[in-house]
Coordinates of all heavy atoms in Angstrom, one line a residue:
D467 N -16.0 29.3 -7.6 CA -16.1 29.3 -9.0 C -17.6 29.5 -9.5 O -17.8 29.2 -10.7 CB -15.5 28.1 -9.7 CG -14.0 28.2 -9.7 OD1 -13.4 29.3 -9.6 OD2 -13.3 27.1 -9.9
W468 N -18.5 29.9 -8.7 CA -19.8 30.1 -9.0 C -20.0 31.4 -9.9 O -19.2 32.2 -9.8 CB -20.7 30.2 -7.7 CG -21.0 28.8 -7.1 CD1 -20.2 27.8 -7.1 CD2 -22.1 28.5 -6.3 NE1 -20.7 26.8 -6.4 CE2 -21.9 27.2 -5.8 CE3 -23.2 29.2 -6.0 CZ2 -22.8 26.5 -5.1 CZ3 -24.1 28.5 -5.2 CH2 -23.9 27.2 -4.7
S469 N -21.1 31.4 -10.5 CA -21.4 32.6 -11.4 C -21.9 33.7 -10.5 O -22.4 33.5 -9.3 CB -22.4 32.3 -12.5 OG -23.7 32.1 -11.9
A470 N -21.9 34.9 -11.0 CA -22.4 36.1 -10.3 C -23.9 35.9 -10.0 O -24.4 36.4 -9.0 CB -22.1 37.3 -11.1
E471 N -24.6 35.2 -10.9 CA -26.1 35.1 -10.7 C -26.4 34.0 -9.8 O -27.5 34.2 -9.0 CB -26.7 34.8 -12.1 CG -26.7 35.8 -13.1 CD -25.7 35.5 -14.2 OE1 -24.7 34.7 -13.9 OE2 -25.9 35.9 -15.3
T472 N -25.7 32.9 -9.7 CA -26.1 31.8 -8.8 C -25.6 31.9 -7.4 O -26.2 31.4 -6.5 CB -25.6 30.5 -9.4 OG1 -24.2 30.5 -9.6 CG2 -26.3 30.2 -10.8
F473 N -24.5 32.6 -7.2 CA -24.0 32.6 -5.8 C -24.9 33.3 -4.8 O -25.1 32.8 -3.7 CB -22.6 33.3 -5.7 CG -22.0 33.1 -4.4 CD1 -21.6 31.8 -3.9 CD2 -21.9 34.2 -3.5 CE1 -21.1 31.6 -2.7 CE2 -21.4 34.0 -2.3 CZ -21.0 32.7 -1.9
P474 N -25.6 34.4 -5.2 CA -26.6 35.0 -4.3 C -27.7 34.1 -3.9 O -28.2 34.1 -2.8 CB -27.1 36.2 -5.0 CG -26.0 36.6 -6.0 CD -25.4 35.3 -6.4
I475 N -28.1 33.2 -4.8 CA -29.2 32.2 -4.5 C -28.6 31.2 -3.4 O -29.4 30.9 -2.4 CB -29.6 31.4 -5.8 CG1 -30.2 32.4 -6.8 CG2 -30.5 30.3 -5.4 CD1 -30.3 31.7 -8.2
A476 N -27.4 30.7 -3.6 CA -26.8 29.8 -2.6 C -26.7 30.6 -1.2 O -26.9 30.0 -0.2 CB -25.5 29.4 -3.1
R477 N -26.3 31.9 -1.3 CA -26.0 32.6 -0.1 C -27.3 32.8 0.7 O -27.3 32.8 2.0 CB -25.3 34.0 -0.4 CG -24.7 34.6 0.8 CD -23.9 35.8 0.3 NE -22.9 36.1 1.4 CZ -21.9 36.8 1.3 NH1 -21.6 37.4 0.2 NH2 -21.1 37.1 2.3
E478 N -28.4 33.0 0.0 CA -29.7 33.2 0.7 C -30.1 31.8 1.3 O -30.7 31.8 2.4 CB -30.8 33.5 -0.3 CG -30.8 35.0 -0.6 CD -32.0 35.4 -1.5 OE1 -33.1 34.7 -1.4 OE2 -31.8 36.3 -2.2
R479 N -29.8 30.7 0.7 CA -30.3 29.4 1.2 C -29.4 28.9 2.3 O -29.9 28.3 3.2 CB -30.2 28.5 0.0 CG -30.7 27.1 0.5 CD -30.9 26.0 -0.6 NE -32.0 26.5 -1.4 CZ -32.4 25.9 -2.5 NH1 -31.8 24.8 -2.9 NH2 -33.3 26.4 -3.3
F480 N -28.1 29.3 2.3 CA -27.1 28.6 3.2 C -26.6 29.8 4.1 O -25.7 30.5 3.8 CB -26.0 27.9 2.6 CG -26.5 26.7 1.7 CD1 -26.3 26.8 0.3 CD2 -27.2 25.7 2.2 CE1 -26.7 25.7 -0.5 CE2 -27.7 24.7 1.4 CZ -27.4 24.7 0.0
D481 N -27.1 29.8 5.4 CA -26.7 30.9 6.3 C -25.2 30.9 6.5 O -24.6 31.9 6.7 CB -27.5 30.7 7.6 CG -27.2 31.9 8.5 OD1 -27.4 33.0 8.1 OD2 -26.8 31.6 9.7
F482 N -24.6 29.7 6.6 CA -23.2 29.6 6.8 C -22.3 30.4 5.8 O -21.2 30.8 6.1 CB -22.7 28.2 6.9 CG -22.7 27.4 5.6 CD1 -21.6 27.5 4.8 CD2 -23.7 26.6 5.3 CE1 -21.6 26.7 3.6 CE2 -23.8 25.9 4.1 CZ -22.7 26.0 3.3
L483 N -22.8 30.7 4.7 CA -22.1 31.4 3.7 C -21.9 32.9 4.2 O -21.1 33.6 3.7 CB -22.7 31.4 2.3 CG -22.7 30.1 1.6 CD1 -23.4 30.1 0.3 CD2 -21.3 29.6 1.4
N484 N -22.8 33.3 5.1 CA -22.6 34.6 5.7 C -21.6 34.8 6.8 O -21.4 35.8 7.3 CB -24.0 35.2 6.1 CG -24.9 35.2 4.9 OD1 -24.6 36.0 3.9 ND2 -26.1 34.6 5.0
W485 N -21.0 33.6 7.1 CA -20.0 33.6 8.2 C -18.6 34.1 7.7 O -17.8 34.4 8.5 CB -19.8 32.2 8.8 CG -21.1 31.7 9.4 CD1 -22.2 32.3 9.7 CD2 -21.3 30.2 9.8 NE1 -23.1 31.4 10.3 CE2 -22.5 30.2 10.4 CE3 -20.5 29.1 9.8 CZ2 -23.1 29.0 10.9 CZ3 -21.0 28.0 10.2 CH2 -22.2 27.9 10.8
F486 N -18.5 34.1 6.3 CA -17.2 34.5 5.8 C -17.1 36.1 5.8 O -18.0 36.8 5.5 CB -17.1 34.0 4.4 CG -17.0 32.5 4.3 CD1 -18.2 31.8 4.1 CD2 -15.8 31.9 4.5 CE1 -18.1 30.4 4.0 CE2 -15.8 30.5 4.4 CZ -16.9 29.8 4.2
E487 N -15.8 36.5 6.1 CA -15.5 37.9 6.2 C -15.3 38.4 4.7 O -15.4 39.7 4.5 CB -14.3 38.1 7.0 CG -14.5 37.8 8.5 CD -13.3 38.0 9.3 OE1 -12.5 38.9 9.0 OE2 -13.1 37.2 10.2
G488 N -15.1 37.6 3.8 CA -15.0 38.0 2.4 C -15.1 36.7 1.5 O -14.6 35.6 1.9
I489 N -15.6 36.9 0.3 CA -15.8 35.8 -0.6 C -15.4 36.3 -2.0 O -15.9 37.4 -2.4 CB -17.2 35.3 -0.6 CG1 -17.6 34.7 0.7 CG2 -17.3 34.2 -1.7 CD1 -19.0 34.3 0.8
V490 N -14.5 35.7 -2.7 CA -14.1 36.0 -4.0 C -15.0 35.1 -4.9 O -14.9 33.9 -4.9 CB -12.6 35.7 -4.3 CG1 -12.3 35.9 -5.8 CG2 -11.7 36.5 -3.4
V491 N -15.8 35.7 -5.7 CA -16.7 35.0 -6.7 C -16.2 35.1 -8.1 O -16.1 36.2 -8.6 CB -18.2 35.6 -6.5 CG1 -19.1 34.8 -7.5 CG2 -18.7 35.5 -5.1
S492 N -15.9 34.0 -8.7 CA -15.4 33.9 -10.0 C -16.1 34.7 -11.0 O -15.6 35.4 -11.8 CB -15.2 32.5 -10.5 OG -14.2 31.9 -9.8
G493 N -17.5 34.5 -11.0 CA -18.3 35.3 -11.9 C -18.3 36.8 -11.8 O -18.7 37.5 -12.7
Q494 N -17.8 37.3 -10.6 CA -17.7 38.7 -10.5 C -16.3 39.2 -10.9 O -16.1 40.3 -11.2 CB -17.9 39.1 -9.0 CG -19.3 38.8 -8.6 CD -19.5 39.0 -7.1 OE1 -18.5 39.1 -6.3 NE2 -20.8 39.1 -6.7
K495 N -15.3 38.3 -10.8 CA -13.9 38.6 -11.1 C -13.5 38.2 -12.5 O -12.4 38.7 -13.0 CB -12.9 37.9 -10.1 CG -13.2 38.4 -8.7 CD -12.9 39.9 -8.5 CE -13.0 40.3 -7.0 NZ -12.8 41.7 -6.9
G496 N -14.2 37.3 -13.1 CA -13.8 36.9 -14.5 C -12.7 35.9 -14.5 O -12.0 35.8 -15.6
V497 N -12.4 35.2 -13.5 CA -11.3 34.3 -13.4 C -11.7 33.1 -12.5 O -12.5 33.4 -11.5 CB -10.0 35.0 -12.9 CG1 -10.2 35.5 -11.5 CG2 -8.8 34.1 -13.0
T498 N -11.3 31.9 -12.8 CA -11.6 30.8 -12.0 C -10.4 30.1 -11.5 O -9.3 30.3 -12.0 CB -12.4 29.7 -12.8 OG1 -11.6 29.3 -13.9 CG2 -13.7 30.3 -13.4
K499 N -10.6 29.3 -10.5 CA -9.5 28.4 -10.0 C -9.2 27.4 -11.1 O -10.1 27.0 -11.8 CB -10.0 27.6 -8.8 CG -10.3 28.5 -7.6 CD -10.9 27.6 -6.4 CE -12.3 27.3 -6.7 NZ -12.9 26.5 -5.6
P500 N -8.0 27.0 -11.4 CA -6.7 27.3 -10.6 C -5.9 28.5 -11.0 O -4.8 28.6 -10.7 CB -6.0 26.0 -10.8 CG -6.3 25.6 -12.2 CD -7.8 26.0 -12.4
D501 N -6.5 29.4 -11.8 CA -5.7 30.6 -12.3 C -5.2 31.3 -11.0 O -5.9 31.7 -10.1 CB -6.7 31.5 -13.0 CG -6.0 32.6 -13.7 OD1 -5.1 33.3 -13.1 OD2 -6.2 32.9 -14.9
P502 N -3.9 31.6 -11.0 CA -3.3 32.3 -9.9 C -3.9 33.6 -9.5 O -3.8 34.1 -8.4 CB -1.8 32.5 -10.3 CG -1.6 31.5 -11.3 CD -2.9 31.3 -12.1
A503 N -4.5 34.2 -10.5 CA -5.1 35.6 -10.3 C -6.2 35.5 -9.2 O -6.4 36.5 -8.5 CB -5.7 36.1 -11.6
I504 N -6.9 34.3 -9.1 CA -8.0 34.3 -8.1 C -7.5 34.4 -6.7 O -8.1 35.0 -5.8 CB -8.9 33.1 -8.4 CG1 -10.2 33.3 -7.7 CG2 -8.3 31.8 -7.9 CD1 -11.4 32.8 -8.4
Y505 N -6.3 33.8 -6.5 CA -5.7 33.8 -5.2 C -5.2 35.3 -4.9 O -5.2 35.7 -3.7 CB -4.6 32.8 -5.0 CG -5.1 31.4 -5.4 CD1 -4.9 30.9 -6.7 CD2 -5.8 30.7 -4.5 CE1 -5.3 29.7 -7.1 CE2 -6.3 29.4 -4.9 CZ -6.1 28.9 -6.2 OH -6.6 27.7 -6.5
R506 N -4.7 36.0 -5.9 CA -4.3 37.3 -5.7 C -5.5 38.2 -5.4 O -5.4 39.2 -4.7 CB -3.6 37.8 -7.0 CG -2.2 37.2 -7.2 CD -1.3 37.9 -8.2 NE -1.9 37.8 -9.6 CZ -1.6 36.8 -10.4 NH1 -0.9 35.8 -10.1 NH2 -2.2 36.8 -11.7
H507 N -6.7 37.9 -6.0 CA -7.9 38.7 -5.7 C -8.1 38.5 -4.2 O -8.5 39.5 -3.5 CB -9.1 38.2 -6.5 CG -9.1 38.8 -7.8 ND1 -9.3 40.1 -8.1 CD2 -9.1 38.2 -9.0 CE1 -9.4 40.4 -9.4 NE2 -9.2 39.2 -10.0
L508 N -8.0 37.3 -3.6 CA -8.3 37.1 -2.2 C -7.3 38.0 -1.4 O -7.8 38.6 -0.4 CB -8.1 35.7 -1.9 CG -8.3 35.3 -0.4 CD1 -9.8 35.3 0.0 CD2 -7.7 34.0 -0.1
T509 N -6.0 38.0 -1.7 CA -5.1 38.7 -0.9 C -5.3 40.2 -1.1 O -5.2 40.9 -0.1 CB -3.6 38.3 -1.2 OG1 -3.4 38.5 -2.6 CG2 -3.4 36.8 -0.9
A510 N -5.5 40.7 -2.3 CA -5.6 42.1 -2.6 C -6.9 42.6 -2.0 O -6.9 43.7 -1.4 CB -5.5 42.4 -4.0
D511 N -8.0 41.9 -2.2 CA -9.3 42.4 -1.9 C -9.6 42.4 -0.4 O -10.3 43.3 0.2 CB -10.5 41.6 -2.5 CG -10.5 41.8 -4.1 OD1 -9.7 42.6 -4.6 OD2 -11.3 41.1 -4.6
F512 N -9.0 41.5 0.4 CA -9.3 41.3 1.7 C -8.0 41.4 2.7 O -8.2 41.2 3.9 CB -10.0 40.0 2.0 CG -11.3 39.9 1.2 CD1 -11.4 39.0 0.1 CD2 -12.4 40.8 1.4 CE1 -12.5 39.0 -0.7 CE2 -13.6 40.7 0.7 CZ -13.6 39.8 -0.4
G513 N -6.9 41.6 2.1 CA -5.7 41.8 2.9 C -5.2 40.5 3.6 O -4.6 40.5 4.6
V514 N -5.5 39.3 2.9 CA -5.2 38.0 3.5 C -3.7 37.8 3.2 O -3.2 38.0 2.0 CB -6.0 36.9 2.9 CG1 -5.5 35.6 3.3 CG2 -7.5 37.1 3.2
D515 N -2.9 37.5 4.2 CA -1.5 37.1 4.1 C -1.4 35.6 3.6 O -1.8 34.8 4.4 CB -0.8 37.3 5.4 CG 0.7 37.0 5.4 OD1 1.2 36.5 4.3 OD2 1.3 37.0 6.4
P516 N -0.9 35.4 2.5 CA -0.9 33.9 2.0 C -0.1 33.0 3.0 O -0.5 31.9 3.1 CB -0.1 34.1 0.6 CG -0.3 35.4 0.2 CD -0.4 36.3 1.5
A517 N 0.9 33.6 3.6 CA 1.7 32.7 4.6 C 0.9 32.3 5.7 O 1.3 31.4 6.4 CB 2.9 33.6 4.9
T518 N -0.2 33.0 6.0 CA -1.0 32.5 7.2 C -2.3 31.9 6.8 O -3.2 31.7 7.7 CB -1.3 33.8 8.1 OG1 -2.1 34.7 7.4 CG2 0.0 34.4 8.6
A519 N -2.5 31.7 5.6 CA -3.8 31.1 5.1 C -3.7 29.6 4.8 O -2.7 29.1 4.5 CB -4.2 31.8 3.8
V520 N -4.9 29.0 4.9 CA -5.1 27.6 4.6 C -6.2 27.5 3.6 O -7.3 28.0 3.8 CB -5.4 26.7 5.8 CG1 -5.7 25.3 5.5 CG2 -4.3 26.8 6.9
F521 N -5.9 26.9 2.4 CA -6.9 26.8 1.3 C -7.3 25.4 1.2 O -6.5 24.4 1.1 CB -6.3 27.3 0.0 CG -7.2 27.1 -1.2 CD1 -8.3 27.9 -1.4 CD2 -7.0 26.0 -2.1 CE1 -9.1 27.7 -2.5 CE2 -7.9 25.8 -3.1 CZ -8.9 26.7 -3.3
I522 N -8.7 25.1 1.3 CA -9.2 23.8 1.2 C -10.1 23.6 0.0 O -10.9 24.5 -0.3 CB -10.1 23.5 2.5 CG1 -9.3 23.8 3.8 CG2 -10.7 22.1 2.5 CD1 -10.2 24.0 5.0
D523 N -9.7 22.6 -0.9 CA -10.5 22.4 -2.1 C -10.5 20.9 -2.4 O -9.6 20.1 -2.0 CB -9.8 23.1 -3.2 CG -10.7 23.3 -4.4 OD1 -11.0 22.4 -5.1 OD2 -11.1 24.5 -4.6
D524 N -11.5 20.4 -3.1 CA -11.6 19.0 -3.4 C -10.9 18.7 -4.7 O -10.8 17.5 -5.0 CB -13.1 18.6 -3.5 CG -13.8 19.3 -4.6 OD1 -13.4 20.4 -5.1 OD2 -14.9 18.8 -5.0
K525 N -10.3 19.7 -5.4 CA -9.6 19.4 -6.6 C -8.1 19.7 -6.4 O -7.7 20.8 -6.1 CB -10.1 20.3 -7.7 CG -11.5 20.0 -8.1 CD -12.0 20.8 -9.3 CE -13.4 20.5 -9.6 NZ -14.0 21.4 -10.6
P526 N -7.3 18.6 -6.5 CA -5.9 18.7 -6.3 C -5.2 19.8 -7.1 O -4.3 20.6 -6.6 CB -5.3 17.4 -6.6 CG -6.4 16.4 -6.4 CD -7.7 17.2 -6.7
I527 N -5.6 20.1 -8.3 CA -5.0 21.1 -9.2 C -5.2 22.5 -8.6 O -4.4 23.4 -8.6 CB -5.6 21.0 -10.6 CG1 -4.8 22.0 -11.5 CG2 -7.1 21.4 -10.7 CD1 -5.0 21.8 -13.0
N528 N -6.4 22.7 -7.9 CA -6.7 24.0 -7.2 C -5.8 24.1 -6.0 O -5.3 25.3 -5.7 CB -8.1 24.2 -6.9 CG -9.0 24.2 -8.1 OD1 -8.6 24.5 -9.1 ND2 -10.2 23.9 -7.9
V529 N -5.6 23.1 -5.3 CA -4.7 23.1 -4.1 C -3.2 23.3 -4.5 O -2.6 24.1 -3.8 CB -4.9 21.8 -3.3 CG1 -3.8 21.7 -2.2 CG2 -6.2 21.7 -2.7
E530 N -2.8 22.7 -5.6 CA -1.4 22.9 -6.1 C -1.3 24.5 -6.5 O -0.2 25.0 -6.2 CB -1.2 22.0 -7.3 CG -1.1 20.6 -7.0 CD -1.1 19.7 -8.2 OE1 -0.8 20.1 -9.3 OE2 -1.4 18.5 -8.0
A531 N -2.3 25.0 -7.1 CA -2.2 26.4 -7.5 C -2.1 27.3 -6.3 O -1.4 28.3 -6.2 CB -3.4 26.8 -8.4
A532 N -2.9 26.9 -5.3 CA -2.8 27.7 -4.0 C -1.4 27.6 -3.4 O -0.9 28.6 -3.0 CB -3.9 27.3 -3.0
N533 N -0.9 26.4 -3.3 CA 0.5 26.2 -2.9 C 1.5 27.1 -3.6 O 2.3 27.8 -3.0 CB 0.8 24.8 -2.9 CG 0.1 23.9 -1.9 OD1 -0.3 24.4 -0.8 ND2 0.0 22.6 -2.2
T534 N 1.4 27.1 -4.9 CA 2.2 27.9 -5.8 C 2.1 29.4 -5.4 O 3.0 30.1 -5.5 CB 1.9 27.7 -7.3 OG1 2.1 26.3 -7.5 CG2 2.9 28.5 -8.1
A535 N 0.9 29.8 -5.1 CA 0.6 31.2 -4.7 C 1.1 31.5 -3.3 O 0.8 32.6 -2.8 CB -0.9 31.5 -4.9

Side-chain angles (χ1 to χ4, degrees):
D467 278 344
W468 285 28
S469 74
E471 296 105 328
T472 57
F473 189 69
I475 296 167
R477 197 169 200 166
E478 277 184 34
R479 180 166 300 174
F480 302 117
D481 185 55
F482 68 86
L483 293 177
N484 295 305
W485 299 348
F486 293 95
E487 294 179 33
I489 301 175
V490 176
V491 178
S492 291
Q494 295 170 345
K495 298 295 185 181
V497 63
T498 60
K499 298 175 282 181
D501 189 313
I504 199 142
Y505 307 98
R506 288 193 298 272
H507 279 295
L508 178 75
T509 58
D511 293 357
F512 303 110
V514 173
D515 177 2
T518 66
V520 177
F521 176 76
I522 303 160
D523 199 291
D524 63 341
K525 295 182 180 173
I527 191 168
N528 295 339
V529 171
E530 290 167 20
N533 288 335
T534 299

